[in-house]
Amino acid sequence: MTPESQTANRREFLQLSLALGAGLCLPAMASSNPMFNNQSIHKRVIPGTNEQLPIIGMGTWQTFDIGEGEAQRSNMRDILQTFYEMGGRVLDSSPMYGRSEDVLGDLSADLNLLGKFFMATKVWTQGRSRGIDQMKSSMTKMRTQPMDLMQIHNLVDVRTHLDTLRKWKEEGKVRYMGLTHYVVSAHDDLERLIKSEKNLDFIQINFSILTRNAAKRLLPTAHDKGVGVLINRPYEGGSLFRKVKGKELPSWAKEWDINSWGQYFLKYIVSHEEVSAAIPATTKLHHLKDNMGAAYGLLPDAATRNKMVAYLEQL
């Protein structure tokens, strides 16, 4: 699809949304930026449901692992508030992320935003009883029950926890269940599990413009099996920014509403239709705003994604 056809489609969609009073429009704070004028945030439907998720979420590894000090809390409170105001909803945490679950629950309560987010966390232990105890603890810390998405972290004791989560889903303790990993070597195992296990709703995996292995089979398999996909490590732990330091964006990037390297990397990911949301993490408000910018405007088509890869690889 060309930029021109996407623009026409977007215009038609906006006209329909205005006529019906539908869609999530940006608040005044965000719409003051010319880039967002008359635009709605891109969302993807969770497979098999009518529920939609904004395509940019936020992770909490390291960033929300903070103490009681007001300086740190105030900063992350501002980030969480701005994330919500700019249309963000998906928040991902884990018991292995230190105090992140506690802090996320505390700050959501401070902002009167409990129940307004799509909360995801993980179970990361061996054994049925330990898994149950850990998941209950996570719900308490994040002040979220039912948990929107409970994931089995790094496939640890996966069969045991899948049995528990199937029962919990039937009982309404969790809304969705999933599997996670962060390395390419786990992709084959994830693909086998998607094919063999019933009732899987999500996987969370590593995928970026330079680590594209997931696009070969894992993303298509998830799509075929009706499994949503969250993306971790979209910036390769920051190494992508080191690669482009001092380099200019290509002139054609603005044709796709790409205004920074961060948006270049994120739009490459979320323009894949199989991806439900990418979940970058940050402690800087201007980075959060830039990340959220990738959820608006035109999304690259397949030909442009190839062009993006070629440009980056020749730097």
Side-chain angles (χ1 to χ4, degrees):
M1 182 178 292
T2 66
E4 291 78 10
S5 60
Q6 280 205 26
T7 300
N9 289 340
R10 183 179 65 193
R11 187 181 302 113
E12 292 172 1
F13 170 78
L14 288 168
Q15 290 171 346
L16 178 62
S17 295
L18 288 171
L20 297 177
L24 173 63
C25 294
L26 283 169
M29 181 278 297
S31 61
S32 63
N33 185 326
M35 175 182 172
F36 301 128
N37 287 345
N38 299 319
Q39 295 185 21
S40 295
I41 194 167
H42 287 289
K43 295 181 179 182
R44 295 263 162 74
V45 175
I46 298 174
T49 77
N50 293 320
E51 185 173 0
Q52 297 181 331
L53 298 179
I55 60 174
I56 300 295
M58 183 163 58
T60 61
W61 182 58
Q62 295 185 325
T63 54
F64 278 77
D65 184 15
I66 56 177
E68 301 290 340
E70 181 54 24
Q72 286 180 306
R73 291 263 171 150
S74 176
N75 177 57
M76 296 313 296
R77 191 180 295 113
D78 288 346
I79 284 176
L80 192 60
Q81 176 73 48
T82 303
F83 175 73
Y84 179 79
E85 289 177 348
M86 294 188 72
R89 294 297 180 268
V90 180
L91 293 166
D92 177 74
S93 196
S94 171
M96 71 175 291
Y97 297 171
R99 293 174 51 86
S100 293
E101 291 179 320
D102 280 302
V103 173
L104 190 55
D106 290 348
L107 297 186
S108 297
D110 290 349
L111 294 167
N112 294 316
L113 291 177
L114 288 175
K116 301 291 183 66
F117 293 115
F118 182 94
M119 292 286 203
T121 192
K122 308 173 184 77
V123 56
W124 190 57
T125 189
Q126 295 277 354
R128 180 178 181 277
S129 61
R130 288 182 180 178
I132 289 172
D133 289 344
Q134 190 178 80
M135 290 188 286
K136 287 181 176 178
S137 175
S138 293
M139 292 182 189
T140 299
K141 291 174 180 177
M142 295 174 71
R143 309 189 193 196
T144 302
Q145 191 166 356
M147 184 60 64
D148 294 302
L149 171 59
M150 186 66 74
Q151 305 156 103
I152 301 170
H153 195 50
N154 293 354
L155 306 182
V156 173
D157 205 358
V158 62
R159 306 286 182 186
T160 298
H161 300 317
L162 279 175
D163 286 344
T164 298
L165 286 175
R166 287 190 183 98
K167 294 175 184 175
W168 277 23
K169 189 175 176 181
E170 290 176 0
E171 295 167 359
K173 294 178 181 178
V174 299
R175 298 177 58 229
Y176 300 105
M177 52 189 279
L179 309 172
T180 80
H181 221 296
Y182 66 99
V183 295
V184 168
S185 60
H187 288 186
D188 287 347
D189 288 339
L190 283 163
E191 184 183 356
R192 283 192 289 270
L193 286 164
I194 290 173
K195 291 178 176 179
S196 64
E197 297 294 330
K198 297 180 179 179
N199 303 321
L200 284 177
D201 300 304
F202 281 91
I203 56 171
Q204 182 186 137
I205 56 172
N206 60 309
F207 179 52
S208 77
I209 193 169
L210 289 187
T211 302
R212 302 184 297 275
N213 184 73
K216 296 176 183 176
R217 294 200 314 269
L218 192 49
L219 291 183
T221 300
H223 179 266
D224 291 344
K225 295 296 182 179
V227 175
V229 181
L230 301 181
I231 301 299
N232 58 44
R233 294 184 57 80
Y235 296 141
E236 299 280 354
S239 65
L240 287 178
F241 290 109
R242 292 189 288 274
K243 179 177 177 62
V244 299
K245 186 175 181 179
K247 307 293 185 180
E248 295 291 332
L249 283 169
S251 59
W252 44 263
K254 290 191 180 298
E255 298 174 12
W256 298 93
D257 296 326
I258 295 170
N259 297 284
S260 68
W261 280 113
Q263 293 176 13
Y264 190 98
F265 301 142
L266 288 175
K267 284 203 171 191
Y268 174 85
I269 294 168
V270 298
S271 62
H272 287 77
E273 292 292 335
E274 304 94 335
V275 172
S276 303
I279 50 172
T282 185
T283 60
K284 296 181 179 179
L285 188 58
H286 67 282
H287 286 170
L288 181 278
K289 292 178 180 179
D290 191 64
N291 290 343
M292 292 306 298
Y296 294 88
L298 301 179
L299 294 178
D301 56 20
T304 302
R305 286 198 298 268
N306 291 336
K307 191 176 179 180
M308 293 168 78
V309 171
Y311 183 84
L312 187 64
E313 289 183 340
Q314 60 85 35
L315 290 179

